Amino acid sequence: MAMKHGAHSERELLSPGMRVLVRGQEWLVDKVEPNSLGNHAVSCTGISALVRDMTATFLDDLDTITPVDPVKTRFIPDTSARAAKSHLFIESLLRATAPTDARIHVGNKAAMDSLPYQLVPAKKALAQPRQRILIADAVGLGKTLEAGILMSELIKRRKGRRILVVTAKSMMVQFQKEMWERFTIPLISLDSSRIQQIRSEIPANANPFSYYDKVIISIDTLKRDIQYGAALDASYWDIIVIDEAQNVADRAANGRSAQRAKLAKRLASRSDTLIMLSATPHDGRARSFASLMNMLDPTTLPDPEQYDKQDVEHLYVRRFKKDVMAEVSGSFPERKVTQEKCMATAAEEEAFDYLTDMKLVMDMHQKRSNSFLFKTMLEKSLFSSPAACIKTIDERVKRLAKKDASDQTGDIDRLEGLKAALEEIGPMQFSRYQRLLQLLRSADYGWHNGEDADDRIVIFTERIETKNYLKERLRQDLKLPKKAIVSMDGGMSDVEQQKIVEDFGTKSSPVRILVASDVASEGLNLHYLSHRLIHFDTPWSLMVFQQRNGRIDRYGQRKQPDIRFMMINSRNAKIQGDTHILEILQQKEDQARKDIGDPSLLMGKFDVDQEEDFTREAIESGESAENFAARLCIPDEDIDHSDERSGDVETVADDDVFDPLSFFNLTTLDGSDTTSTEENESAGESVTGNADDGGIVDSSTLMSDYEYVDEGLSCEEFRQSAGLKSKRQLRDAHGFAVEFQGDSPLHAWLRRRVPNTQVLRGNIAEWSDDAKYCEDQANGLLARINDESWSRVQYLWELNPITEWVGLKASSLLYQRDEAPIIGVTNGNLHADETIMLMNGMVANRHASPVIDEWFGVRYLDGECMGILPLEEVWRITGYRGNLIPGTTERRYVNREDSAASSEQIDAAQLLLEDAVSRGKSMLSDCGEQYRAQADEEVTQQMDRIEHWSHTRKALLQSQGKNTKENTKQVDRMLEQYADWVQDTLDASGEPVIRIAAAFVGKE
């Protein structure tokens, strides 16, 4: 049936996977998308020889797009050995089937040690009409992997062709590698150098986001480049992922956060699927957490300051290490935490005494404004290093000199006096540095000066001057090679940061020590080759503790994390009291991590700056360590939500009550649970996922991924398209390697579908279906000594591009247009006058996405229909899957070369086609009615929900005096858009579409 010139009822027949005729050529439909004119853009891949492998988009109001009629299918006998030809063809059709349920089909098979709790976010998201979710698991539980599982499921469902990932610049390579080496999702990195290259390759008015389908970009690059504004608005994605989502919450903390929040809101409307990742998703304020929830679903919260857990629990998942310990045996070795104490040297004591006795005139004004005393800033920087303190002094002296060259207050002289005392602290007088050297050299610590490439050290320090000092001094004093110690800070470019992280995780690189500022404390995986972390200075924020320690104490760590704190003792009572405050912070963080999972609850600030203010106030007031420890607890009353930061900050309402304890099922420090028994029991399934083992689906395909690709690369019909020079088995894993000819079309095709050309170095490609082997490769444990940062071995599974290539070839080259195999079965289960028609049937929604996608057989005896069979019954009767030969990996098939269908059987099958197609469509119509009955209930629920939201939102605006015409229009517009989306997505409006896959006939 031709489709052109706005024939709306006919358009709905077009669905992904369908063969169509356009301009005299045959195409495979990849996607059907509505445009603003009410027509459809049909994206296709060429099948006919003239257009093979070409991609094109046709407009159904301009081109005649004709679906291939299944009744016109001609049956071709399969005479290939073991029916290899038809097996490959039918397998390609089976693999193109899109799941229409909410179960896990592929995500659990990725190159990772998949644990039940990691599948929960995907299950939860797939159960929703739209896959929009905040994955808020604690540091180190594997949020990136959980996002990859969900993305894999969506790709399998043909909802993941275009993907945009937004993350911190230091995280880009790590995220890119995780997605490729575990899930073979090829994200192209748009770092600063690549952007410049793309701009030179495309027209000035071209959209850079149309250049690649799957990209990863840093949020700072995205928000900084004004040219991206219009490009973002003109782009639409299947999936958008925002990493470290707490940075885009609408907290109005400063202009930078507001800018990121505006960008995130912009992105939230440019995709059906939105996945947000954050280990610190809330700041204790209802409004900021609501901003994330409203990005996921703007029709959920009419009042961002008044809501409860039940309103939003479907939109997020949050677990802590204690919640999943039963599932992660061996994956989370318990950390070892040690305080490395040393006595201050005479030079340090002199500087301490000078500092504590010093009285600064400038601080008299600061006391009245309740802001950071400069004297406290000096102490904080001195607790990092003398070099950092000197830098702080120099910068302030410059500012003071500009205001008062004559130094009438005397502050400059006092600061210069402190600087002179600090300059007397050389490396030998710097006690914490000497203790660090002693630790690194000690036999008990067992580092052996970095001789073991699998034993690397991360040293964190807050100040860049301290970082630079440690990098230079350690290289000299430990006599390390120049490249053995590297450093990283936020002033570096995205390319520089990515290179350092890459080198630190590559076994063949010479790096042994990474000295980093807190730019490296968010999200980075530093645990592959390191289980040692040293805090050279102690953070004043519990959140920074979490982030730093989480770099090595995380899922996948194979050794016991060894965490050290460099602490100093002093005879100066003030300094000693303040160091005790920092010791209490470290001890409380460790206790809270074990007891409640979220140490930030102890201060109730949920913001690094405010937590540092909390500690600063204790130090400036001279509070005792005992009193400070007593205040670090979760009070029975509401957590303090006051916002004490200075600057242009939005005032928090008194009734802005947000209780993270009840939201995230946390316990108090005494172990008492804050939720009811019923809540905990109902939350158990969502926390661990153990209660839903039935949520995972085993494949019903004919062959493994390895067999499928191996057969494809060996297929005579594909030989010219593959352009292979040779093929060999891998030596150290189950898999194979191929060498391409210089002009190999397959090699060129693959190069466009890998995230980095290092994956296909030279003319060689390697694949293995051994998930453990590929996981070890991704972890850097089996890296070759050739300075290669990307593993050549690709994980061979359903989503690998090579599997896609075999599917394209198998579905287009093995049988011509309107052809399907007919196979003779010799197992005695099918008589000579029996026929089974194997077919696939699909019903689509208004977006042309399948809501029903079923395989079945129609069985005939002497021309009479005996019934419709499920796929497994077809396999059982025909034996077409074959049986494993004992002791081998080969299969014994019931069909042989001499069992081809006779001409009479072929003719009989042809006569049955029209009836079989009619019965198949009738069955699909019945399935459609059942689906519609369920969908109507879901539509009603969704409509009731968003209409309630609309009424409540308008009433709130009315009560606040904001019920303007524009605000009312905005609410109505959101209601209409979401209602249209629900109807288009859940409505099974398409006519049943049938594809004939094969016919089976009985043979003696």
Side-chain angles (χ1 to χ4, degrees):
M1 188 178 293
M3 310 207 170
K4 61 179 181 178
H5 305 305
H8 181 74
S9 61
E10 294 178 341
R11 281 194 208 125
E12 293 167 348
L13 293 175
L14 289 176
S15 296
M18 182 185 293
R19 288 184 176 205
V20 294
L21 298 178
V22 188
R23 302 180 187 180
Q25 301 298 317
E26 189 171 1
W27 302 80
L28 196 67
V29 175
D30 295 323
K31 192 166 187 177
V32 184
E33 296 178 291
N35 59 31
S36 59
L37 299 176
N39 305 310
H40 286 74
V42 185
S43 302
C44 302
T45 300
I47 295 176
S48 303
L50 187 63
V51 295
R52 185 166 297 148
D53 292 340
M54 291 177 57
T55 58
T57 300
F58 303 104
L59 300 178
D60 63 357
D61 61 329
L62 299 179
D63 284 291
T64 299
I65 304 175
T66 308
V68 175
D69 186 354
V71 175
K72 296 179 181 178
T73 302
R74 293 182 297 111
F75 289 116
I76 308 298
D78 182 9
T79 58
S80 60
R82 300 179 296 109
K85 186 175 177 179
S86 63
H87 270 87
L88 202 55
F89 172 73
I90 295 173
E91 177 74 4
S92 71
L93 302 184
L94 288 167
R95 287 171 176 263
T97 306
T100 57
D101 56 27
R103 296 184 294 172
I104 302 296
H105 289 258
V106 294
N108 60 310
K109 303 171 187 174
M112 55 183 284
D113 183 18
S114 179
L115 297 168
Y117 83 85
Q118 294 174 325
L119 304 179
V120 170
K123 291 180 185 179
K124 192 164 192 174
L126 293 171
Q128 302 296 325
R130 285 198 297 181
Q131 286 67 60
R132 299 172 78 86
I133 191 168
L134 168 65
I135 303 177
D137 286 343
V139 173
L141 293 193
K143 291 180 292 297
T144 305
L145 301 182
E146 292 170 346
I149 291 170
L150 176 53
M151 291 162 71
S152 298
E153 290 297 323
L154 293 169
I155 292 170
K156 172 66 177 173
R157 288 160 169 79
R158 296 200 289 265
K159 296 179 179 179
R161 185 178 69 87
R162 282 180 51 77
I163 299 174
L164 171 67
V165 175
V166 182
T167 187
K169 58 186 178 181
S170 59
M171 283 286 295
M172 287 175 66
V173 167
Q174 175 180 299
F175 205 113
Q176 189 186 20
K177 282 190 170 185
E178 290 273 349
M179 289 302 106
W180 173 251
E181 294 178 335
R182 296 184 186 278
F183 304 97
T184 63
I185 298 174
L187 300 174
I188 303 301
S189 176
L190 294 186
D191 56 28
S192 52
S193 60
R194 185 71 185 109
I195 290 171
Q196 292 302 318
Q197 182 181 345
I198 290 176
R199 283 176 170 164
S200 67
E201 295 173 357
I202 63 176
N205 62 344
N207 190 338
F209 293 121
S210 299
Y211 198 83
Y212 293 109
D213 278 338
K214 297 178 176 66
V215 302
I216 182 169
I217 189 169
S218 83
I219 190 167
D220 289 321
T221 299
L222 203 57
K223 73 178 180 61
R224 194 167 49 233
D225 196 324
I226 58 173
Q227 296 182 35
Y228 281 146
L232 277 176
D233 290 338
S235 301
Y236 201 85
W237 307 84
D238 296 314
I239 302 172
I240 291 179
V241 181
I242 300 179
D243 193 24
E244 301 296 343
Q246 74 276 2
N247 294 324
V248 303
D250 193 3
R251 298 176 177 176
N254 49 51
R256 182 179 182 186
S257 293
Q259 191 176 10
R260 290 181 173 186
K262 289 177 183 177
L263 172 63
K265 289 177 184 176
R266 202 171 193 169
L267 291 172
S269 65
R270 307 311 302 158
S271 174
D272 265 355
T273 294
L274 177 62
I275 305 171
M276 307 180 91
L277 311 177
S278 175
T280 53
H282 63 84
D283 63 358
R285 298 168 59 209
R287 187 182 297 116
S288 66
F289 189 72
S291 72
L292 297 180
M293 298 297 99
N294 279 326
M295 289 178 204
L296 296 171
D297 184 356
T299 66
T300 288
L301 299 178
D303 185 349
E305 295 181 13
Q306 296 292 333
Y307 59 94
D308 58 30
K309 177 180 175 179
Q310 285 68 36
D311 294 326
V312 294
E313 61 183 350
H314 61 290
L315 293 174
Y316 70 85
V317 171
R318 181 148 172 86
R319 283 82 51 90
F320 297 89
K321 187 174 177 180
K322 66 185 182 64
D323 298 320
V324 302
M325 285 303 293
E327 296 180 21
V328 297
S329 177
S331 298
F332 279 121
E334 186 58 38
R335 66 171 67 163
K336 174 187 175 184
V337 179
T338 308
Q339 290 186 354
E340 296 291 340
K341 294 188 176 182
C342 56
M343 283 301 302
T345 62
E348 288 176 317
E349 294 286 17
E350 186 173 338
F352 288 152
D353 290 344
Y354 190 102
L355 174 63
T356 55
D357 291 340
M358 182 174 62
K359 299 194 184 317
L360 296 172
V361 174
M362 70 180 89
D363 278 348
M364 301 303 294
H365 304 293
Q366 296 295 94
K367 281 183 180 180
R368 289 192 291 270
S369 63
N370 195 33
S371 57
F372 229 115
L373 296 180
F374 186 65
K375 189 172 176 179
T376 312
M377 292 178 63
L378 290 171
E379 183 177 0
K380 192 170 190 285
S381 61
L382 181 51
F383 281 167
S384 182
S385 70
C389 194
I390 289 172
K391 177 70 173 178
T392 302
I393 292 171
D394 287 344
E395 290 178 347
R396 183 53 63 98
V397 166
K398 286 180 184 178
R399 289 171 57 187
L400 291 174
K402 287 181 180 178
K403 292 181 179 180
D404 181 11
S406 62
D407 189 21
Q408 295 178 5
T409 65
D411 278 355
I412 293 178
D413 285 342
R414 296 183 189 94
L415 292 175
E416 291 288 2
L418 176 59
K419 178 179 177 180
L422 292 170
E423 288 173 339
E424 295 298 316
I425 306 173
M428 295 302 297
Q429 290 78 37
F430 189 3
S431 58
R432 279 185 299 118
Y433 175 70
Q434 289 300 317
R435 181 69 190 99
L436 175 63
L437 282 179
Q438 183 183 359
L439 174 67
L440 297 181
R441 291 167 174 164
S442 71
D444 289 341
Y445 193 57
W447 184 58
H448 307 302
N449 216 40
E451 296 173 4
D452 186 353
D454 288 348
D455 192 359
R456 303 182 178 188
I457 297 176
V458 183
I459 301 177
F460 272 112
T461 180
E462 181 183 77
R463 296 293 298 266
I464 290 178
E465 297 77 28
T466 308
K467 177 204 70 135
N468 294 338
Y469 180 93
L470 292 176
K471 179 183 176 183
E472 296 305 318
R473 292 302 316 179
L474 287 174
R475 178 185 295 133
Q476 296 177 36
D477 294 337
L478 294 176
K479 297 182 172 51
L480 294 172
K482 185 176 181 180
K483 295 182 178 180
I485 181 167
V486 293
S487 66
M488 184 167 70
D489 62 72
M492 295 178 171
S493 71
D494 48 7
V495 177
E496 291 172 318
Q497 289 187 30
Q498 292 170 49
K499 180 66 167 63
I500 290 168
V501 173
E502 198 171 325
D503 287 346
F504 189 75
T506 302
K507 189 172 182 179
S508 58
S509 81
V511 176
R512 294 297 180 267
I513 297 176
L514 168 63
V515 186
S517 69
D518 286 324
V519 69
S521 69
E522 281 195 352
L524 293 181
N525 289 338
L526 303 178
H527 65 292
Y528 295 137
L529 301 176
S530 174
H531 68 285
R532 303 182 193 270
L533 185 146
I534 298 172
H535 297 267
F536 190 74
D537 46 33
T538 302
W540 289 24
S541 161
L542 294 168
M543 295 176 71
V544 175
F545 272 102
Q546 285 178 278
Q547 289 291 349
R548 284 186 180 184
N549 293 337
R551 297 317 97 222
I552 65 161
D553 185 9
R554 58 194 301 108
Y555 169 76
Q557 175 62 264
R558 288 170 168 80
K559 298 179 181 179
Q560 181 181 38
D562 187 319
I563 298 172
R564 309 281 174 134
F565 290 86
M566 310 306 299
M567 308 295 295
I568 190 170
N569 285 328
S570 170
R571 59 172 173 73
N572 184 297
K574 167 63 174 167
I575 297 297
Q576 188 61 21
D578 294 347
T579 57
H580 282 166
I581 294 267
L582 301 184
E583 287 181 36
I584 292 296
L585 274 181
Q586 181 264 307
Q587 294 165 1
K588 285 285 189 175
E589 188 276 339
D590 197 44
Q591 178 192 357
R593 177 188 58 85
K594 295 173 182 176
D595 292 343
I596 60 174
D598 190 353
S600 61
L601 289 166
L602 297 180
M603 289 184 181
K605 303 298 181 185
F606 312 104
D607 177 88
V608 170
D609 292 336
Q610 290 190 54
E611 286 194 338
E612 289 188 351
D613 281 352
F614 187 93
T615 304
R616 182 259 306 176
E617 289 171 357
I619 286 175
E620 288 181 351
S621 67
E623 183 175 13
S624 70
E626 292 74 17
N627 286 341
F628 182 72
R631 287 202 298 136
L632 285 180
C633 64
I634 304 173
D636 293 332
E637 62 272 13
D638 291 334
I639 293 174
D640 178 15
H641 301 292
S642 61
D643 193 332
E644 298 170 347
R645 286 168 292 183
S646 58
D648 185 16
V649 179
E650 193 171 359
T651 303
V652 182
D654 292 337
D655 58 357
D656 186 7
V657 241
F658 178 79
D659 186 358
L661 286 171
S662 62
F663 254 74
F664 301 127
N665 293 330
L666 300 179
T667 54
T668 59
L669 281 177
D670 62 6
S672 61
D673 205 316
T674 62
T675 57
S676 68
T677 303
E678 291 81 1
E679 285 177 320
N680 281 323
E681 288 174 352
S682 64
E685 181 176 327
S686 65
V687 169
T688 66
N690 285 334
D692 192 16
D693 293 335
I696 298 175
V697 177
D698 289 330
S699 172
S700 59
T701 54
L702 296 168
M703 56 185 80
S704 69
D705 298 322
Y706 180 92
E707 292 171 321
Y708 181 54
V709 175
D710 191 41
E711 289 279 346
L713 293 179
S714 304
C715 183
E716 183 63 35
E717 286 83 353
F718 304 171
R719 191 174 300 279
Q720 184 175 353
S721 295
L724 302 187
K725 189 174 183 179
S726 63
K727 180 168 171 283
R728 59 175 173 80
Q729 296 298 306
L730 297 181
R731 287 181 297 180
D732 51 356
H734 186 249
F736 52 81
V738 300
E739 183 178 0
F740 300 101
Q741 296 171 1
D743 58 349
S744 165
L746 172 57
H747 188 244
W749 190 90
L750 289 172
R751 281 179 67 88
R752 296 194 299 271
R753 289 163 177 82
V754 294
N756 191 292
T757 53
Q758 287 189 38
V759 175
L760 294 172
R761 288 180 287 274
N763 287 327
I764 303 291
E766 299 178 10
W767 292 275
S768 172
D769 64 343
D770 185 336
K772 181 65 169 64
Y773 175 78
C774 293
E775 181 187 4
D776 288 343
Q777 291 283 325
N779 288 348
L781 298 179
L782 298 177
R784 296 175 178 82
I785 311 301
N786 54 8
D787 203 27
E788 295 173 349
S789 56
W790 286 79
S791 171
R792 182 193 294 272
V793 180
Q794 302 175 42
Y795 181 41
L796 181 55
W797 77 319
E798 190 168 349
L799 302 188
N800 192 291
I802 188 62
T803 313
E804 178 188 354
W805 181 85
V806 171
L808 285 172
K809 298 303 175 185
S811 61
S812 60
L813 294 184
L814 295 175
Y815 294 92
Q816 298 302 310
R817 184 188 308 168
D818 298 333
E819 290 182 350
I822 185 168
I823 301 130
V825 174
T826 60
N827 64 354
N829 291 339
L830 213 58
H831 300 298
D833 50 3
E834 280 191 288
T835 304
I836 293 179
M837 299 286 187
L838 177 64
M839 58 183 72
N840 170 242
M842 182 168 55
V843 178
N845 62 17
R846 294 178 187 173
H847 292 306
S849 295
V851 293
I852 297 171
D853 202 346
E854 297 291 338
W855 280 83
F856 54 92
V858 185
R859 188 175 188 176
Y860 291 89
L861 175 62
D862 284 334
E864 294 292 326
C865 180
M866 305 300 291
I868 295 180
L869 308 174
L871 182 61
E872 287 299 323
E873 186 68 4
V874 174
W875 294 153
R876 186 192 67 79
I877 293 172
T878 62
Y880 190 64
R881 267 183 167 173
N883 299 309
L884 281 174
I885 300 172
T888 74
T889 58
E890 296 183 11
R891 291 182 178 271
R892 179 185 290 114
Y893 295 99
V894 296
N895 40 332
R896 304 186 303 271
E897 293 178 55
D898 59 354
S899 64
S902 66
S903 58
E904 292 81 5
Q905 288 176 313
I906 296 173
D907 291 341
Q910 296 287 173
L911 292 174
L912 296 172
L913 254 182
E914 186 171 358
D915 182 74
V917 170
S918 176
R919 291 179 184 276
K921 286 186 175 182
S922 178
M923 187 208 75
L924 286 173
S925 294
D926 292 342
C927 291
E929 288 301 319
Q930 295 175 20
Y931 169 83
R932 274 186 283 274
Q934 297 173 352
D936 287 346
E937 191 175 327
E938 176 68 17
V939 169
T940 300
Q941 291 177 0
Q942 291 292 328
M943 292 303 299
D944 288 346
R945 181 184 67 80
I946 60 177
E947 285 175 2
H948 173 74
W949 167 85
S950 173
H951 294 318
T952 309
R953 181 64 183 162
K954 288 180 180 177
L956 177 67
L957 292 172
Q958 181 74 40
S959 68
Q960 294 175 342
K962 300 178 182 178
N963 196 25
T964 63
K965 187 175 181 180
E966 180 56 37
N967 284 341
T968 301
K969 276 186 177 180
Q970 184 180 19
V971 172
D972 290 340
R973 187 164 52 247
M974 292 171 66
L975 175 67
E976 182 180 356
Q977 288 174 349
Y978 192 82
D980 287 345
W981 185 90
V982 168
Q983 292 283 356
D984 291 347
T985 301
L986 297 179
D987 182 33
S989 56
E991 291 293 321
V993 176
I994 296 289
R995 168 121 193 212
I996 305 298
F1000 297 95
V1001 295
K1003 298 294 291 184
E1004 295 295 334

